[in-house]
Amino acid sequence: MGVIRFLGQHKGAVALVMLLLLLKAGCELAIPVLTSQIVDVGIAQSGVEDLDVLAGYKAAGVDLFPIQMAYLLRIGGLMLLAAAGSMVLDVAAGFVSARTGAKIGRDLRRRLFARVVAFSDAEINRFSAASLITRGTNDVTLIQNVCTMVMRMVLYAPILAIGGVVMVMVTNPQLGWIVVLAVAVVFTVIAVLFRFTLPRFKIMQTLIDRVNLVAREMLNGLSVVRAFNREGFEENRFDAASRKLRDTQLFTNRAMAFMMPTMMLVMNLTSVAIVWFGAQGVAAGTMQTGDLIAFITYAMVIIMGCLIMGMVSIMLPRADVAAQRLSEVLATEPTVRDPEAPIHVRSDAASGARIAFDDVSFRYTDDGDPALSHVSFTAEPGTTLAIVGPTGSGKSTIVKLIERFYDPTEGAVTLNGADLRELSQADLRACFGYVPQKAFLFEGTVESNIAYGDENADEAAIRGALKVACALDFVEAREGGLSAPIAQGGDNVSGGQRQRLAMARALVRRPRAYLFDDCFSALDYATDARVRAALPAWAAGSTVILVAQRISTVLAADRIVVLDEGRVAGVGTHGELMESCPEYREIALSQLTEEELADPIPVGGDLGRPSSSEIDPLGEGEPRFAPTEGKTEEEAAEGGAR
């Protein structure tokens, strides 16, 4: 079983626990022998019923009472010593078992986390985030608890049962058939229950994943659920997943609930059979009363050992399924791996970065439609390359391939002539400052989130990055400034503020290349323009790859790549594409007028100056920027998008 394999990694602790349990079993198995001696010798045979013999003892001056009491005290003392030894050994075995189980849980969580961190997006999507969370919490805890129980109970039960069988055969082998029959019945019940419940335990873990998935999805999209009045639908969806889990759990629990009464029935019937047949032996003079008591005790010890294994067997199937699920994750090799002899590259911005796509094709799944088809372009060091195209054209996929979140299906992506697959992932990503489309901040402070990009950044560098990202003003306005708290995910700041902090996190790295994955769309036009105005000086020497929806964001780019359905529809400057690329011209004219497109803002020029369409897009004489005052950035951006 998978659980046993995890225990095999702690052979020393298992051996120590087995030694402690052997000593404990010896103490417990000695108690019925001592009880038998007290009954047969200390009580039944200490009193002399023959009056002539009693008179002879008195005539000789021998008092039998002190002799009887001394024997009882000696045997009773041995019983107390055995009981105390059993208790101490049990505590020691429990301590070692619990400590070992905790180590197994810690090691599993560490290995699982390390493997998940090494996964590419493909493996994350394959297992799903909800399932990985369940495996790292629920499954690991289950395995940890079962490993502790296996060491304390499952290892002890066979020792106790085998020792009991030996003592039964020594005490009175004529009644041994009763114990053999009882053990056979117990194991038959356990085998039948396993046959019916094991498949359901496998289904149960999958259903737990499903419940977590639905709950996670609903919580993440709670605002959408409320906006469309779909609370009832989501409740029904969650209830359906929860009901399936409940029905499966009820089936397994009912089946396992049948085990305990059956075990108790077998134990009681065994006691009755032993008393019935043992009493006949005592009456016939072939068995002593103390031996009968000891036999009953040993029989109960044997049945109790089987009962312990039956109780643990309730958890073993689920733990085995959990072990298989963890092994599945741990055995999955990431599709994006470091080469055995990686090429080392510099991560500083001085040399810039030449990023080239050479006939790259990519699909997210083997049987899926291609996200990119035969894409080729080059971003030269120190230049700005923009990528535009309609939704679903593959723009973000370009950035993911550069960051090597995925590897191309065909072709190659190169950095200064070296295939990205020949570089270590750490060296490669140290060359980039990445701003995702959906910004994410970590729980902590503003300073800790910006320093996440460069842990060696001092306060001056952090403030400089915040200033370029147009975030310094609102940061200083918050109580605490750089020490102002940030909630998990950045939920206590607005969407635009969160995006600007994510930009500052990338800017503070001073990398060889900046990757902006449509991150400007969360900003209003004025902030967008100010950031673009400050960026050239800060990113001098670095390559900038800019994915954008707004044409005004990319007008000043040195080169623009136009994507359409995963293919390159055109590459060139704004003016060249307006002449040669219908797809680009269509996108541009849908956002700006002919006059604005004919006079694009030059690189390093007054990027903070709004165009006429930004001032009055509808020709109604109302300035574009005026409504942003007093509004949140999301509202302003939404107004601009309209």
Side-chain angles (χ1 to χ4, degrees):
M1 297 181 68
V3 177
I4 305 302
R5 185 177 68 256
F6 296 132
L7 281 174
Q9 301 170 2
H10 300 267
K11 296 183 178 65
V14 173
L16 177 59
V17 170
M18 288 191 68
L19 177 61
L20 294 173
L21 294 178
L22 279 170
L23 295 174
K24 178 189 174 187
C27 293
E28 292 196 356
L29 292 174
I31 293 177
V33 175
L34 298 174
T35 303
S36 174
Q37 292 178 359
I38 288 178
V39 173
D40 291 338
V41 179
I43 297 176
Q45 297 182 10
S46 62
V48 179
E49 298 178 357
D50 193 318
L51 296 179
D52 294 335
V53 175
L54 184 60
Y57 275 114
K58 288 182 178 180
V62 178
D63 188 357
L64 295 180
F65 181 75
I67 298 175
Q68 176 188 11
M69 290 304 299
Y71 181 83
L72 290 174
L73 289 174
R74 185 173 68 255
I75 300 300
L78 291 175
M79 290 182 66
L80 288 175
L81 184 61
S86 175
M87 180 190 70
V88 172
L89 292 167
D90 187 40
V91 171
F95 175 79
V96 176
S97 300
R99 186 178 179 85
T100 304
K103 286 183 178 179
I104 290 173
R106 178 202 63 191
D107 293 343
L108 282 175
R109 282 188 289 270
R110 179 186 297 164
R111 291 172 58 194
L112 189 68
F113 185 80
R115 181 50 57 94
V116 171
V117 168
F119 279 165
S120 69
D121 289 4
E123 286 78 45
I124 298 294
N125 294 334
R126 169 187 164 189
F127 288 105
S128 83
S131 179
L132 290 173
I133 291 173
T134 302
R135 297 177 198 230
T137 53
N138 183 74
D139 290 358
V140 170
T141 301
L142 184 59
I143 291 174
Q144 176 180 330
N145 293 337
V146 169
C147 285
T148 303
M149 294 181 67
V150 165
M151 295 182 70
R152 290 201 61 183
M153 297 183 179
V154 176
L155 293 180
Y156 182 59
I159 296 173
L160 198 62
I162 293 172
V165 169
V166 172
M167 298 304 294
V168 161
M169 294 305 173
V170 172
T171 304
N172 193 323
Q174 295 179 356
L175 298 181
W177 64 270
I178 299 176
V179 177
V180 173
L181 179 61
V183 171
V185 172
V186 168
F187 278 105
T188 300
V189 171
I190 293 175
V192 171
L193 289 177
F194 268 39
R195 172 68 178 81
F196 286 101
T197 57
L198 187 57
R200 296 298 183 101
F201 280 122
K202 294 180 179 179
I203 296 173
M204 186 187 303
Q205 296 303 111
T206 303
L207 293 176
I208 292 175
D209 284 348
R210 176 61 183 171
V211 169
N212 288 339
L213 176 65
V214 173
R216 180 185 176 90
E217 187 177 40
M218 181 184 67
L219 291 173
N220 288 339
L222 190 58
S223 58
V224 178
V225 173
R226 290 172 175 169
F228 288 92
N229 291 325
R230 300 292 283 175
E231 291 92 338
F233 173 79
E234 292 299 331
E235 288 176 2
N236 292 335
R237 193 161 70 103
F238 181 82
D239 184 60
S242 180
R243 189 164 51 248
K244 290 181 180 178
L245 177 60
R246 178 205 63 188
D247 294 342
T248 304
Q249 288 178 331
L250 283 176
F251 177 86
T252 55
N253 290 341
R254 286 167 181 165
M256 290 304 178
F258 176 75
M259 179 184 295
M260 190 59 64
T262 304
M263 298 292 187
M264 297 303 298
L265 177 62
V266 171
M267 185 180 295
N268 292 330
L269 290 177
T270 302
S271 301
V272 172
I274 291 172
V275 172
W276 177 266
F277 291 101
Q280 295 179 6
V282 172
T286 59
M287 189 175 187
Q288 294 183 341
T289 304
D291 289 341
L292 176 59
I293 294 174
F295 191 93
I296 294 175
T297 304
Y298 285 129
M300 293 302 101
V301 166
I302 296 171
I303 300 299
M304 185 60 66
C306 298
L307 184 60
I308 290 173
M309 288 188 285
M311 292 172 59
V312 176
S313 67
I314 296 176
M315 298 185 67
L316 280 177
R318 284 191 64 190
D320 189 50
V321 173
Q324 293 176 14
R325 283 158 52 85
L326 288 179
S327 297
E328 183 184 8
V329 176
L330 295 175
T332 300
E333 292 294 333
T335 54
V336 176
R337 297 189 295 271
D338 287 343
E340 295 182 1
I343 299 174
H344 295 287
V345 295
R346 297 171 56 190
S347 59
D348 59 281
S351 59
R354 186 176 188 272
I355 301 171
F357 275 60
D358 184 12
D359 196 30
V360 171
S361 296
F362 174 75
R363 61 183 71 215
Y364 284 98
T365 58
D366 294 337
D367 56 351
D369 295 330
L372 296 175
S373 298
H374 306 289
V375 172
S376 297
F377 63 83
T378 301
E380 297 293 345
T383 65
T384 297
L385 182 138
I387 303 173
V388 298
T391 301
S393 59
K395 302 186 297 297
S396 294
T397 303
I398 294 284
V399 178
K400 291 178 180 178
L401 291 177
I402 296 173
E403 277 280 358
R404 209 180 168 215
F405 296 154
Y406 297 93
D407 280 337
T409 307
E410 300 176 13
V413 183
T414 62
L415 176 66
N416 289 354
D419 193 318
L420 299 189
R421 289 167 288 200
E422 298 176 351
L423 310 176
S424 72
Q425 297 177 66
D427 283 354
L428 170 67
R429 290 165 186 160
C431 296
F432 302 137
Y434 172 57
V435 185
Q437 186 173 9
K438 183 178 180 181
F440 183 87
L441 301 179
F442 296 90
E443 183 178 5
T445 64
V446 172
E447 184 175 12
S448 67
N449 271 276
I450 306 306
Y452 200 87
D454 180 7
E455 59 184 5
N456 298 318
D458 55 20
E459 183 176 342
I462 292 174
R463 288 184 176 275
L466 287 169
K467 185 175 181 180
V468 174
C470 294
L472 187 59
D473 290 343
F474 81 78
V475 168
E476 291 180 337
R478 290 172 62 89
E479 184 178 355
L482 293 179
S483 300
I486 297 294
Q488 185 180 30
D491 291 339
N492 61 335
V493 294
S494 70
Q497 291 173 341
R498 187 162 56 242
Q499 195 71 66
R500 282 184 279 167
L501 291 175
M503 288 182 181
R505 180 174 59 198
L507 292 170
V508 80
R509 300 192 75 170
R510 295 279 191 174
R512 297 179 66 174
Y514 292 95
L515 308 177
F516 297 102
D517 185 8
D518 199 17
C519 55
F520 288 91
S521 60
L523 309 180
D524 59 75
Y525 280 91
T527 305
D528 179 0
R530 288 197 298 271
V531 173
R532 286 187 283 117
L535 185 60
W538 181 273
S542 298
T543 304
V544 177
I545 294 183
L546 176 64
V547 173
Q549 295 283 356
R550 296 173 181 166
I551 289 296
S552 60
T553 304
V554 305
L555 288 178
D558 298 293
R559 290 177 69 80
I560 302 172
V561 177
V562 184
L563 293 180
D564 185 35
E565 296 184 355
R567 296 180 178 274
V568 175
V571 178
T573 63
H574 165 70
E576 293 170 348
L577 292 173
M578 286 296 293
E579 296 293 334
S580 62
C581 183
E583 291 83 359
Y584 179 81
R585 183 176 177 82
E586 180 181 356
I587 296 172
L589 289 175
S590 68
Q591 300 181 31
L592 300 175
T593 65
E594 288 274 8
E595 292 76 11
E596 292 165 338
L597 292 171
D599 184 24
I601 301 171
V603 177
D606 185 12
L607 296 181
R609 175 177 55 84
S611 65
S612 60
S613 66
E614 292 171 339
I615 296 174
D616 187 11
L618 302 179
E620 297 175 354
E622 297 182 0
R624 168 69 66 90
F625 291 112
T628 65
E629 298 179 3
K631 290 190 176 183
T632 64
E633 292 179 1
E634 291 89 323
E635 292 170 335
E638 182 182 0
R642 288 196 298 267

